Amino acid sequence: IEIRALVDLLTGNSNSRLHKLLVEELQLVTSIDSRISTFSQAGLLEIEADLLPGTESSRVEELILEQIDNLLKTPPENRDVEGVRNRLLMAVTKSTLKASSHAGRLGYFHTTCNDYRQMFRMLEQYETLTPEAISSAIAARLQEGPDLVLRAVPDQTGKTR
């Protein structure tokens, strides 16, 4: 749950840390996204950025790791966690509005967690999300740094950096 919150803090929307920094402020990338892998590489954090022509991928990687390091040192603010909590709860709620979607979600939890009731526990866990819990989970899961995926957009010469 806390790692899902990390993904949202980093790239969940246009107010996320990496979107503000890399897309809006520094204009190094056109988009940035992250996700938690499931199945064969469960728990793997993947971050993907579409680099603008002329942008060095090493610079983008450095800035991404710096933002993750900042979250390790300083827990996110309560208002940020409240926004994350609301977005995650809304996503689960929206995904279960239709009977077919609800059945699909229950099947997903039955398959991945071996217990369909985990879907309902997840809602309870989102409700109790705290800044300290997010920082603690980041420290525990990312001790050796996340695996980072950068997708480079070719510049005018057709070369990527």
Side-chain angles (χ1 to χ4, degrees):
I1 298 300
E2 291 83 5
I3 298 300
R4 288 186 195 278
L6 168 66
V7 166
D8 192 271
L9 280 169
L10 291 174
T11 64
N13 61 31
S14 61
N15 290 321
S16 66
R17 293 170 186 239
L18 290 175
H19 182 87
K20 280 183 184 177
L21 178 68
L22 299 173
V23 176
E24 294 176 15
E25 292 174 24
L26 300 177
Q27 299 180 353
L28 297 174
V29 304
T30 58
S31 66
I32 185 134
D33 191 24
S34 60
R35 68 188 117 325
I36 302 295
S37 291
T38 55
F39 302 113
S40 67
Q41 295 180 329
L44 174 71
L45 173 63
E46 298 178 37
I47 300 174
E48 190 173 296
D50 290 319
L51 281 61
L52 283 167
T55 299
E56 294 284 340
S57 60
S58 59
R59 174 73 175 131
V60 173
E61 181 177 4
E62 175 186 318
L63 291 165
I64 290 170
L65 293 174
E66 186 177 288
Q67 286 298 310
I68 293 171
D69 192 50
N70 288 344
L71 282 170
L72 281 169
K73 293 176 184 171
T74 307
E77 294 184 22
N78 282 326
R79 65 181 163 80
D80 293 331
V81 174
E82 185 69 27
V84 167
R85 183 183 306 116
N86 290 339
R87 283 188 295 279
L88 293 173
L89 286 169
M90 183 57 70
V92 172
T93 302
K94 281 183 173 180
S95 74
T96 59
L97 289 177
K98 295 179 186 173
S100 61
S101 296
H102 191 68
R105 296 285 295 170
L106 290 172
Y108 170 82
F109 279 93
H110 179 72
T111 302
T112 59
C113 302
N114 205 25
D115 184 0
Y116 70 90
R117 293 170 292 201
Q118 188 63 30
M119 183 174 97
F120 305 107
R121 290 185 199 113
M122 184 176 67
L123 292 171
E124 294 167 2
Q125 291 171 334
Y126 284 158
E127 289 288 348
T128 61
L129 199 56
T130 65
E132 295 76 20
I134 294 171
S135 289
S136 177
I138 295 168
R141 298 284 294 278
L142 304 178
Q143 288 177 359
E144 297 189 22
D147 285 325
L148 184 60
V149 177
L150 290 177
R151 183 176 59 208
V153 175
D155 64 18
Q156 289 80 8
T157 64
K159 296 179 183 176
T160 56
R161 298 176 160 258

